[in-house]
Amino acid sequence: MRLSVVFAVLTLTGSAFAADFTFKPAGTLVSGSGTGRVDAKIYAPGMRFPIEKAPAYANSQVWGHGGSSGPGGGQCDTENFSYPWWDNYCETRSWSMPLCPAGKGHQGQDIRAATCTKNVHATVATTDGKITSIGTYSVYLTGNDGTVYRYLHMGSLAVSTGQTVKKGQLMGKVSNEFGGTPTTTHLHFDLEQNVSGIGKVFVPPYTSLVQAYQTLLGPTVAKLDAKLVSQGSSAEVDPSGKADYRVCAGDSFHFWFELENTGSVTWTDSGGAGDGQAVRLGVVGSGNDPFTSSNRVSLKESANPEVVPGGGDCSDQPKCRRAVFSKTPGIAGKAPGTPGVYESRWRLVDELKAWFGPEVALSFDVVDCGGDGAAGSAGAGGSAGSAGAGGVIDGGASGGAGGGQKTHVLKDDAGDCSCRVPARRSGFSGWVLLGLGLAFFRRRHSTSPGSSQSRRS
Ligand SMILES: [Zn+2]
């Protein structure tokens, strides 16, 4: 547990903590520490969290490790610096507390900062207001609405009585000041308000703290999430518009999907049991993909087998935040022998854990191109004019050997299938040119018409 917390502190951004933050409901106290007040009301809506930075841990000083009624251990025990949060507003004390079921209680909420080291973690003003009193170990901030926010046990005080402060302004540091024998290193924080029929009392601060902390953390980032950046195929863009691409029955070609890690954990396919350690592109639903005759493409088949959420803005080397499934020239496909429109539909999966990110898909119109182009009418209809226009990146990237022999290279003025546009640039090997073109395209993430689409991103 401690290891994971340390790891998170060292490597993740603040927002990443949001996915990890958990809290017990208001009024739920540690067993044996008293009876809590179940109250969902947020008494200080919109206040700023009183500790400058996350993570912070609301829990009991007395019933936690290192406390006089705790389970033993020292105050720096990892469990004290772990979620979930625990309310301790009505925890057993002798103070008069009209809002607590026992009529007595603790008055406020104890909060530990990221670590147990004192005089390191800054506290800040929850709201615009004035410092109305400073005691031996307490600072009173009175907000413009009359709410009194009390901060106890601070060191390195940065404010003085009578001073006007702005929300977020430095107040001091989380410490263990207690006017003599020190307490544990923590901030005791409470709220005083006028409650009709009762008068000025300590009101529950827990729900206000939860709200303020969630604001500090920012939007929740899922551990596993992704977005589609681009996709494409070596096949010809379908001029009829029936599908994304058009291929001849039985032909080999390639296609690919570029996905970005927008979650909070790194993707690998190391086979580990942790989150994101068995990431593959999987066929949605049962059965195999019609072109690959398989249902998985491992991340290991990508040029970037380690996709880091905060990584570089790239996709073709480890620790980038994007990966192309799969590495150049792409996922190898072979068109079925039966004409028709086929869809290749995929989604990322962390094997045995969860599917995540968007579904991605490409459709291919598989047409009968005949033996050598003579019977070119099949499926292609009257689309002759557009065939071949635009210099479509060709299937030649399929690894070359025999490619020109096996595929149906048709004259693109033949008015038929044009499933393969011959490379006609004199003096160059078309295959080499096209291969380079594809590599260049990928590096630049440009959107060469006819070779990629990003409309589903
Ligand atoms: Zn306290």
Side-chain angles (χ1 to χ4, degrees):
M1 195 60 189
R2 181 56 173 169
L3 279 178
S4 66
V5 170
V6 170
F7 180 79
V9 169
L10 292 178
T11 63
L12 300 180
T13 60
S15 63
F17 292 118
D20 299 327
F21 175 49
T22 57
F23 58 94
K24 295 286 183 181
T28 304
L29 306 193
V30 170
S31 179
S33 69
T35 305
R37 176 185 170 91
V38 178
D39 184 349
K41 181 179 175 181
I42 295 174
Y43 287 82
M47 77 172 194
R48 206 277 187 205
F49 191 68
I51 295 177
E52 183 187 24
K53 291 176 182 169
Y57 305 97
N59 54 47
S60 174
Q61 305 302 299
V62 175
W63 271 264
H65 297 282
S68 57
S69 299
Q75 63 164 310
C76 296
D77 191 287
T78 58
E79 201 179 343
N80 289 343
F81 297 84
S82 305
Y83 300 129
W85 278 18
W86 290 86
D87 184 352
N88 78 330
Y89 162 74
C90 287
E91 191 171 274
T92 302
R93 294 292 195 284
S94 57
W95 313 108
S96 175
M97 291 280 291
L99 298 187
C100 287
K104 295 179 178 183
H106 169 229
Q107 301 178 330
Q109 178 66 45
D110 294 334
I111 312 166
R112 302 179 206 261
T115 70
C116 62
T117 310
K118 68 175 181 177
N119 297 330
V120 167
H121 305 287
T123 57
V124 295
T126 48
T127 186
D128 292 349
K130 192 172 185 177
I131 306 302
T132 44
S133 179
I134 295 182
T136 324
Y137 54 89
S138 56
V139 175
Y140 294 68
L141 162 61
T142 302
N144 294 334
D145 70 348
T147 300
V148 177
Y149 304 81
R150 210 163 56 129
Y151 297 63
L152 271 56
H153 317 305
M154 290 194 295
S156 310
L157 284 195
V159 292
S160 52
T161 306
Q163 183 179 341
T164 298
V165 296
K166 301 295 283 183
K167 187 177 183 177
Q169 183 174 333
L170 180 68
M171 296 276 285
K173 298 283 174 67
V174 177
S175 193
N176 62 352
E177 298 294 332
F178 206 16
T181 307
T183 179
T184 56
T185 298
H186 74 281
L187 176 70
H188 170 110
F189 177 82
D190 55 40
L191 297 177
E192 269 185 294
Q193 285 178 344
N194 266 309
V195 174
S196 72
I198 302 176
K200 195 171 188 184
V201 291
F202 290 103
V203 296
Y206 189 76
T207 48
S208 304
L209 287 164
V210 168
Q211 184 192 54
Y213 191 64
Q214 286 172 328
T215 300
L216 178 65
L217 291 172
T220 298
V221 175
K223 282 185 179 174
L224 291 167
D225 207 354
K227 75 172 185 184
L228 177 66
V229 176
S230 61
Q231 59 186 11
S233 172
S234 60
E236 177 199 16
V237 169
D238 183 13
S240 74
K242 275 200 295 186
D244 298 325
Y245 293 96
R246 186 168 67 170
V247 289
C248 291
D251 266 8
S252 295
F253 64 100
H254 289 86
F255 59 98
W256 49 270
F257 300 97
E258 182 179 22
L259 289 143
E260 179 171 316
N261 187 343
T262 56
S264 64
V265 299
T266 295
W267 305 343
T268 62
D269 189 5
S270 61
D275 290 324
Q277 294 180 351
V279 172
R280 294 149 201 174
L281 200 58
V283 169
V284 175
S286 58
N288 289 336
D289 177 72
F291 304 109
T292 66
S293 299
S294 70
N295 62 9
R296 290 291 186 275
V297 179
S298 173
L299 182 61
K300 285 188 285 196
E301 295 169 43
S302 162
N304 175 12
E306 186 181 2
V307 186
V308 178
D313 188 21
C314 50
S315 61
D316 51 5
Q317 54 193 314
K319 298 201 184 340
C320 295
R321 59 187 160 92
R322 298 192 293 267
V324 177
F325 288 83
S326 59
K327 74 176 82 167
T328 307
I331 301 164
K334 183 176 167 64
T338 308
V341 173
Y342 294 78
E343 199 163 53
S344 189
R345 184 169 286 280
W346 305 81
R347 195 176 179 206
L348 286 168
V349 59
D350 190 13
E351 212 70 70
L352 301 180
K353 283 180 178 282
W355 294 84
F356 66 99
E359 269 192 27
V360 297
L362 288 171
S363 59
F364 295 84
D365 187 12
V366 175
V367 297
D368 182 359
C369 298
D372 55 4
S377 61
S383 58
S386 61
V392 172
I393 290 178
D394 193 276
S398 67
Q405 293 288 351
K406 283 194 229 165
T407 53
H408 306 275
V409 179
L410 305 178
K411 287 178 283 184
D412 64 353
D413 57 356
D416 48 26
C417 176
S418 270
C419 294
R420 291 285 180 263
V421 181
R424 291 166 300 167
R425 294 183 183 89
S426 58
F428 290 92
S429 155
W431 303 129
V432 169
L433 258 187
L434 293 163
L436 285 172
L438 186 58
F440 179 73
F441 162 72
R442 285 208 180 149
R443 256 195 315 276
R444 298 296 301 267
H445 308 298
S446 60
T447 49
S448 167
S451 63
S452 83
Q453 305 167 31
S454 55
R455 54 192 160 81
R456 288 190 180 85
S457 61

